[in-house]
Amino acid sequence: MRRNIMKIVENNFKFGTMDIRNTTEQIVCHHSGVTVLQSVEIIHDYHKNTKGWAGIGYHFYVRKDGSIYRGRPENTVGAHAVGANYNSIGICFEGNFSKEKMSEEQLNAGKELIAYLKEKYNISKIVGHKNVDTSECPGNNFPMDELRENGSYNIEDDSNENVVKELQKALNKDNNSGLDIDGIIGPLTTKAINNNMVRNFSVSEFARWVQERLIAKGYSLNEFGVDGKYGGETEGKVKEHQQKTGIDVDGIVGINTVNKLL
Ligand SMILES: [Zn+2]
């Protein structure tokens, strides 16, 4: 099982028109301002339908349980800090830090996200909403100093290209397929997949790849986890996914199923 890897949960929100941000000079931190739990969907809905904005004003939303959600696209001008939207990324932390303290999980997630953004944009300025605008946000208990510390992060590269590269490496390990690790499913990779279809009771790196992809698609392998053994649990989830994606439900992973696991 993969652990301690920063995962940004993507969304498929519908946004109105937003401008592209030309410069990224700082990160502005916010709190949601309420102690009750709120999903990112609730905030998006509130900003879009009550405030009449293009959609959620923040670029990221960090929840109390340490999960990180994407808000509006990272390259757009936010709607979170008047006067600083044009040159900043806005992160909202769930909670009211005038009244409560931040959980360890949320703090760690925030540190990782900030470390990642600092490196990505080569910036070091991390401020609170109240530093750039008239506001109490993000509250006096907000752990600004800790979030500013140099943290580290480990992000999962979940791009299609990388996922295919992982598959090609697995096929090479299993069968000396000699595939180029180019991240493209061409004729040779297709042939290698179909010659080595994963079926019940096989043990392989390919099977491990299938298990990792099932988890990435939201299935859980509670009993055996990612063990590289294509047992009944994995086969059951493959069948579930085949059913859900409208392909033959045979529990065997060939090219059609691989395509649905990308
Ligand atoms: Zn704020």
Side-chain angles (χ1 to χ4, degrees), residues 21 24 26-31 56-62 69-74 76-81 84-85 87-93 113-114 117 127 129:
R21 193 178 61 255
T24 306
Q26 57 184 339
I27 294 169
V28 180
C29 297
H30 302 263
H31 67 173
I56 184 168
Y58 312 111
H59 298 96
F60 295 97
Y61 183 52
V62 181
Y69 291 83
R70 171 96 52 207
R72 65 174 54 197
E74 208 173 302
T76 59
V77 175
H80 56 92
N85 286 319
N87 73 352
S88 68
I89 287 181
I91 304 176
C92 180
F93 290 78
L113 177 61
I114 286 173
L117 293 170
V127 299
H129 187 183

Side-chain angles (χ1 to χ4, degrees), residues 55-121:
I56 184 168
Y58 312 111
H59 298 96
F60 295 97
Y61 183 52
V62 181
R63 297 205 61 180
K64 289 180 177 179
D65 66 4
S67 49
I68 303 172
Y69 291 83
R70 171 96 52 207
R72 65 174 54 197
E74 208 173 302
N75 64 344
T76 59
V77 175
H80 56 92
V82 174
N85 286 319
Y86 77 101
N87 73 352
S88 68
I89 287 181
I91 304 176
C92 180
F93 290 78
E94 181 178 41
N96 181 335
F97 303 104
S98 298
K99 294 182 178 160
E100 57 189 323
K101 290 233 162 88
M102 191 177 284
S103 72
E104 202 64 26
E105 291 86 354
Q106 192 176 20
L107 177 63
N108 288 336
K111 283 169 87 164
E112 281 187 338
L113 177 61
I114 286 173
Y116 162 70
L117 293 170
K118 278 167 78 176
E119 184 177 311
K120 184 168 180 180
Y121 294 96

